[in-house]
Amino acid sequence: MRKLFKRGLPIWRLFVVLLLAVGTFTFAMFQGGIVSWTIFYVFIPFALYAVLLFLFPLSTVKVHRDLTQRYFKRGEELVVKLTIQRPSIFPLVYVVVTDEWQESERKQRLSRQQKLLFFGLNKEVTWTYTIPELPRGSYEATHITLEVTDFLGLMKKRQSLKVHSTMLVYPSTMNLSFQTFEVEGMQSASSSLFKSLSDPSSIAGVREYVEGDRMSLVHWKMFAKTSMLMTKEFERKSANQIVLLFDPRANHAFEDRVTLVASLAENAVKSGTTIHFQIIGQEDQVERIEANQHLQQVLNQLAKIQPILHTDVFRHIKLFERKSSVPIVLVSGFVDEDLYEQLMKGNGLSKTIHHLIVLADDEVMSDQLRQQVQTYLKRGIVIQPIKHQQFAEVFKGGGR
């Protein structure tokens, strides 16, 4: 019903224009005099333009939307250039152009841009606008709306033209220093995560020192006890691998968490580490990241992900622990209650887990969180509460 009313509105406006024209003519005929006829003759050009505007087919207008690029990172600026072309030089006095961007899935509005353009006798007019500080997500613009009106506002027409454009805004990333750091006076419990992962071997035993062995491989503790030079022997690990789990539950630091996960994945690929990435709750999407093309698939996921309310973190961790002994990095926004309860019951976690808790910049660590962190550390499990400004040094510092 509403659509029918909108479609019929120009016809109603045309009727009003014609009624006014007839009314001014009738007034001049019966009233007579120069004033009455002047009103009629002055109104006629406006009425005639309103009728011609009603007959002008807005559907013949062509609109193009040009983007500087289609892929962005969070915080970057979008520049859009609209080109409006018409086939004739019929004068369009006032033209309001509206362009709207919205999320591809949830259809929430990102930006609504409007501009009043004066065509005059020009066949082509351009308009450039910008959207600063793009938020992460997948966005689309499907239509450009034109609304034209006459001098007096008696005639108005509206036409929505299909012009489909899309863009994808990836999470922002940063370079990470793969060492540990101290959070609010609390010593983080790990040596360099990526350094330890990139070390392809572990100690298997010792043997007598042979001339030519590197001094860095000498077992100095054994030498102190026996006064004999012994060389450490290592066993090769199958590969440099890591499981990266992302807890997508909603909290104030969700966007910062996405940034950290994207940065971890990007920097791990640079260091030659193979990543098994999974968003908890999406069991059918386990991405193996070994090269840039795999990383791109993960960044596509992270660009579109939305926070959820519930998921089973403990089950996912135990599932990966049963599959292999590959170290697990869990990125979340808080200590999972079920995970903590299982830990307290003694159904503990492997010490190969690195639990990163991302806090909002204005968030203060609660006493409960401090107690939970201390419990993790006492059981030899790495847990690090961090904030956005600390991401660049997320693994900076000393040992357990």
Side-chain angles (χ1 to χ4, degrees):
M1 187 68 182
R2 190 175 180 180
K3 290 183 178 180
L4 290 175
F5 175 76
K6 286 184 177 180
R7 289 180 180 178
L9 195 57
I11 299 176
W12 166 251
R13 290 181 178 276
L14 177 64
F15 174 75
V16 172
V17 170
L18 296 177
L19 186 64
L20 287 174
V22 172
T24 54
F25 176 75
T26 304
F27 177 73
M29 287 290 293
F30 283 95
Q31 183 69 22
I34 190 171
V35 175
S36 302
W37 284 105
T38 299
I39 293 175
F40 171 70
Y41 287 122
V42 168
F43 179 73
I44 284 301
F46 293 101
L48 181 60
Y49 178 78
V51 173
L52 293 176
L53 186 61
F54 173 81
L55 298 175
F56 179 77
L58 276 177
S59 58
T60 60
V61 176
K62 294 182 179 180
V63 182
H64 303 278
R65 185 192 295 111
D66 297 316
L67 311 182
T68 52
Q69 60 191 79
R70 289 189 55 240
Y71 301 98
F72 300 85
K73 280 196 173 184
R74 179 188 172 199
E76 292 183 342
E77 180 181 77
L78 168 67
V79 179
V80 181
K81 180 181 179 182
L82 298 183
T83 303
I84 303 123
Q85 299 172 322
R86 57 194 182 127
S88 66
I89 59 171
F90 176 77
L92 296 175
V93 185
Y94 304 116
V95 181
V96 178
V97 183
T98 303
D99 197 13
E100 184 173 311
W101 289 86
Q102 61 184 7
E103 285 188 337
S104 301
E105 296 183 3
R106 297 191 300 172
K107 303 303 179 184
Q108 291 186 355
R109 180 187 296 174
L110 168 67
S111 175
R112 188 171 188 265
Q113 303 287 331
Q114 272 192 334
K115 177 84 171 174
L116 176 62
L117 300 178
F118 300 94
F119 268 82
L121 299 178
N122 297 321
K123 283 190 173 184
E124 179 178 304
V125 173
T126 60
W127 167 40
T128 301
Y129 68 86
T130 61
I131 304 177
E133 298 290 329
L134 287 172
R136 178 190 57 82
S138 175
Y139 301 98
E140 65 177 355
T142 58
H143 295 81
I144 294 176
T145 303
L146 304 179
E147 186 174 4
V148 296
T149 184
D150 64 340
F151 295 96
L152 302 179
L154 297 174
M155 176 59 64
K156 287 184 180 180
K157 290 182 67 177
R158 186 183 180 93
Q159 181 73 39
S160 185
L161 304 173
K162 289 186 178 181
V163 184
H164 191 264
S165 301
T166 61
M167 67 173 173
L168 190 62
V169 183
Y170 295 117
S172 57
T173 57
M174 59 181 65
N175 291 324
L176 303 181
S177 177
F178 299 127
Q179 301 166 41
T180 58
F181 76 103
E182 195 170 309
V183 181
E184 298 185 6
M186 183 177 296
Q187 180 64 36
S188 166
S190 121
S191 59
S192 168
L193 170 60
F194 279 81
K195 184 178 179 181
S196 66
L197 288 175
S198 62
D199 182 4
S201 55
S202 58
I203 299 177
V206 294
R207 59 172 173 78
E208 288 187 8
Y209 176 80
V210 177
E211 186 176 355
D213 286 347
R214 287 184 299 167
M215 296 305 293
S216 61
L217 299 180
V218 173
H219 200 305
W220 294 108
K221 290 184 178 180
M222 183 73 69
F223 174 74
K225 292 179 181 179
T226 63
S227 299
M228 295 179 60
L229 284 176
M230 306 295 289
T231 300
K232 292 179 284 188
E233 286 188 324
F234 299 89
E235 60 182 8
R236 302 291 296 183
K237 293 181 182 177
S238 59
N240 305 326
Q241 299 185 52
I242 180 176
V243 172
L244 180 57
L245 298 180
F246 176 58
D247 179 0
R249 285 177 294 177
N251 78 335
H252 296 303
F254 182 80
E255 290 300 328
D256 290 337
R257 261 188 289 156
V258 176
T259 295
L260 178 58
V261 169
S263 300
L264 286 172
E266 185 176 80
N267 284 272
V269 169
K270 290 179 182 178
S271 71
T273 302
T274 298
I275 288 186
H276 302 272
F277 173 73
Q278 185 180 64
I279 298 172
I280 297 177
Q282 299 182 10
E283 288 84 351
D284 58 333
Q285 296 185 13
V286 180
E287 298 288 349
R288 182 182 177 92
I289 312 173
E290 295 179 297
N292 286 331
Q293 61 266 32
H294 305 135
L295 175 63
Q296 197 63 41
Q297 295 174 6
V298 170
L299 292 177
N300 288 342
Q301 288 186 44
L302 292 176
K304 301 174 183 178
I305 189 172
Q306 297 298 330
I308 61 175
L309 295 178
H310 304 288
T311 191
D312 191 346
V313 175
F314 181 74
R315 182 176 66 84
H316 281 78
I317 291 178
K318 298 305 289 185
L319 180 64
F320 276 101
E321 282 189 335
R322 285 196 296 269
K323 289 181 178 179
S324 69
S325 59
V326 174
I328 297 174
V329 174
L330 170 64
V331 178
S332 65
F334 30 71
V335 174
D336 182 74
E337 291 297 332
D338 185 44
L339 196 65
Y340 185 73
E341 183 179 338
Q342 296 294 334
L343 187 66
M344 296 299 291
K345 288 180 179 179
N347 302 329
L349 305 174
S350 166
K351 294 183 181 181
T352 60
I353 291 181
H354 298 252
H355 191 175
L356 302 177
I357 300 178
V358 180
L359 306 177
D361 287 338
D362 58 350
E363 187 176 353
V364 179
M365 283 184 62
S366 63
D367 292 337
Q368 180 184 8
L369 178 57
R370 288 180 181 274
Q371 180 181 355
Q372 291 172 332
V373 168
Q374 290 292 351
T375 302
Y376 271 71
L377 296 178
K378 288 177 182 178
R379 284 162 171 74
I381 298 174
V382 179
I383 183 168
Q384 293 179 231
I386 55 176
K387 297 182 179 180
H388 184 272
Q389 63 266 28
Q390 298 166 321
F391 285 176
E393 299 180 335
V394 64
F395 298 116
K396 194 174 189 179
R400 287 183 183 275

